[in-house]
Amino acid sequence: SVELHFRKIEHETSEYSFGAYRDTIRNLKAHFASHPYAVGSEFTAADTQLASLLGFTILQLEAVPKEPEFMAYLARVADRPAHLRSHKLDDELMQSVSARRTS
């Protein structure tokens, strides 16, 4: 539904998130208003996919609005220890690559 919205293709509304774009946004907002993660109160593998997709469609494509519920969800995921460790490793790798290029 985000891709259809991005391509300006509209279709009828439904009660399911895989329906129209506005239904997806409404259902995700409602979910994150009462649940910290995709499946409820615990971080799961679903969050690795959902956060990646949501972050990309909000921050890169700008096809999804920066709703407070979405931004809070992305912040929760980004603040997880494993995520922070992975970014630290990425930064160290990039510094190493940059140092080799300037040598």
Side-chain angles (χ1 to χ4, degrees):
S1 65
V2 172
E3 182 176 352
L4 293 176
H5 173 76
F6 186 71
R7 296 178 185 273
K8 311 244 185 297
I9 299 170
E10 292 294 326
H11 53 88
E12 291 301 314
T13 187
S14 76
E15 64 188 67
Y16 304 103
S17 291
F18 57 82
Y21 170 81
R22 64 187 165 276
D23 298 330
T24 300
I25 300 302
R26 183 190 69 236
N27 290 339
L28 278 174
K29 279 180 63 173
H31 178 80
F32 288 128
S34 59
H35 300 91
Y37 295 106
V39 183
S41 62
E42 299 293 325
F43 181 87
T44 67
D47 292 294
T48 64
Q49 297 301 306
L50 181 57
S52 177
L53 176 63
L54 195 56
F56 180 75
T57 57
I58 290 172
L59 303 172
Q60 302 299 318
L61 289 181
E62 298 180 352
V64 171
K66 290 182 178 180
E67 298 289 348
E69 297 87 352
F70 300 160
M71 301 312 288
Y73 168 68
L74 293 175
R76 278 191 298 279
V77 171
D79 197 38
R80 293 187 42 78
H83 187 266
L84 296 171
R85 282 191 309 272
S86 74
H87 275 276
K88 183 178 182 230
L89 291 170
D90 286 347
D91 291 344
E92 291 169 358
L93 179 60
M94 290 306 293
Q95 288 174 2
S96 171
V97 168
S98 294
R100 279 188 259 148
R101 286 185 180 168
T102 59
S103 301

